[in-house]
Amino acid sequence: MNILSFIHKFCFCDNVETPITESLTYPSGVTVYEVVRIIDTKPLFAEDHLVRMLGSLNLTNIYYPIDAGVFRNQIQRLCQINNVTNGNVEYLLVKKADGRVVTYMGFIQHHYPEPQLYIDGVDLAGLHSERDNPQAKVKNTLTRQRANKRIAETGAYEMVLINQQGLVTEGSRSNLFFVKDDSIVTAPDNMVLSGITRKHVLQVIDFNDINIVRQPIRYSRINTFDAAFMCGTSPGVIPIHSIDKVKYQTDNKLVKTIMDGYNQQVTNYLMSH
């Protein structure tokens, strides 16, 4: 059994409103999950999260008919019964040993960057680790534990995952982009989790006709780039100040364009839902 890390007073356990206690657990098994940012009770990019979850279920051979209406209604109910309007909600689907799929949904701890970090940038550190199936969003306890340990040791905001070939793939809970002159470089789609924020960043890059190169980045060459940024559910898009001892420009024009474009996409989505 695994401890649920939900916060506040109530969550959903297999679609039933349930009081949160310290002993609340979920069974062992293949666990597919999504973390959705809630802004003024609205689940940001909800449709994208559900599409990715269906893809993760397909990649892990789990069949479960996700109902978008039930998903949205449960989030609205979570906000109501917990008297919460902003935060992060985790949605888990667990395939038990007997083949049955059970679901869990609740608010989890979130860490949004201080406003100044969007100007100064965040500090990252390298971690030699990789996901077995990067395109499926499944619980990877060992990688998460190792990343959390390194974050605590280094004080870094996030870990940069480096695979066995010495290539930078993604962050432990984010996607990474590097800037060289007028081009953006990022790992190929098949090497990383298809991040929801990443999807919208790529749309901004395309809309602004910015050249993008999808190729592996060798960790030993991260010092050849002018700037870098990361993106994820909690931070949105944020510049990188450093990776280990390598420092980057945090006032880069391309990074600023992408940050502004992504923020506008968020605003447009919330206004239309």
Side-chain angles (χ1 to χ4, degrees):
M1 302 296 283
N2 304 281
I3 301 294
L4 283 164
S5 55
F6 294 153
I7 60 173
H8 303 314
K9 295 181 178 181
F10 298 96
C11 65
F12 279 96
C13 292
D14 219 14
N15 299 313
V16 177
E17 291 181 22
T18 305
I20 295 173
T21 65
E22 292 182 0
S23 60
L24 199 60
T25 61
Y26 67 96
S28 298
V30 178
T31 304
V32 171
Y33 74 106
E34 286 289 326
V35 176
V36 185
R37 183 162 181 175
I38 311 302
I39 303 177
D40 295 332
T41 74
K42 297 179 180 180
L44 181 63
F45 304 137
E47 299 82 1
D48 294 326
H49 282 285
L50 291 178
V51 167
R52 185 172 66 179
M53 176 163 266
L54 287 170
S56 295
L57 292 173
N58 183 56
L59 288 169
T60 51
N61 297 312
I62 298 174
Y63 174 75
Y64 187 84
I66 297 176
D67 187 304
V70 171
F71 175 80
R72 283 184 172 277
N73 288 340
Q74 286 191 355
I75 286 178
Q76 291 295 314
R77 182 62 181 158
L78 276 177
C79 291
Q80 182 182 34
I81 60 181
N82 288 297
N83 194 27
V84 174
T85 58
N86 295 279
N88 286 358
V89 163
E90 185 175 57
Y91 182 41
L92 301 94
L93 278 78
V94 185
K95 184 178 181 179
K96 299 167 59 177
D98 63 5
R100 194 168 81 87
V101 176
V102 289
T103 66
Y104 302 86
M105 180 188 285
F107 280 96
I108 59 173
Q109 291 284 357
H110 62 265
H111 303 283
Y112 302 146
E114 295 294 327
Q116 189 63 35
L117 287 178
Y118 290 94
I119 299 171
D120 297 340
V122 291
D123 296 312
L124 278 57
L127 176 68
H128 288 272
S129 184
E130 59 186 301
R131 295 185 176 95
D132 294 331
N133 189 355
Q135 292 189 303
K137 193 170 177 67
V138 298
K139 289 286 185 181
N140 187 334
T141 306
L142 180 59
T143 295
R144 182 74 264 145
Q145 288 176 346
R146 291 185 62 208
N148 289 343
K149 184 173 183 291
R150 283 283 289 153
I151 287 171
E153 291 171 348
T154 63
Y157 181 83
E158 165 69 312
M159 288 293 108
V160 174
L161 301 185
I162 306 162
N163 69 15
Q164 294 180 358
Q165 289 73 46
L167 301 174
V168 170
T169 54
E170 55 193 334
S172 68
R173 53 191 172 202
S174 64
N175 291 112
L176 306 173
F177 294 80
F178 294 81
V179 180
K180 182 64 176 177
D181 298 325
D182 294 324
S183 295
I184 304 290
V185 183
T186 191
D189 294 350
N190 66 343
M191 291 182 67
V192 301
L193 178 69
S194 301
I196 304 305
T197 310
R198 182 178 191 264
K199 171 186 173 179
H200 289 272
V201 164
L202 292 172
Q203 290 177 355
V204 172
I205 291 171
D206 182 62
F207 179 80
N208 286 278
D209 201 26
I210 299 170
N211 184 51
I212 183 165
V213 180
R214 290 178 171 85
Q215 68 179 29
I217 300 162
R218 191 159 294 281
Y219 177 74
S220 61
R221 292 187 55 79
I222 61 172
N223 63 341
T224 64
F225 294 94
D226 305 322
F229 64 93
M230 57 167 278
C231 65
T233 297
S234 289
V237 178
I238 192 166
I240 295 172
H241 172 256
S242 69
I243 300 177
D244 293 323
K245 295 180 179 180
V246 178
K247 289 184 167 54
Y248 300 102
Q249 303 168 2
T250 56
D251 59 350
N252 182 270
K253 183 176 68 174
L254 281 187
V255 176
K256 183 68 165 59
T257 296
I258 292 164
M259 289 174 64
D260 291 344
Y262 173 76
N263 290 337
Q264 187 60 54
Q265 286 212 5
V266 170
T267 298
N268 292 344
Y269 181 90
L270 294 174
M271 289 179 63
S272 63
H273 288 78

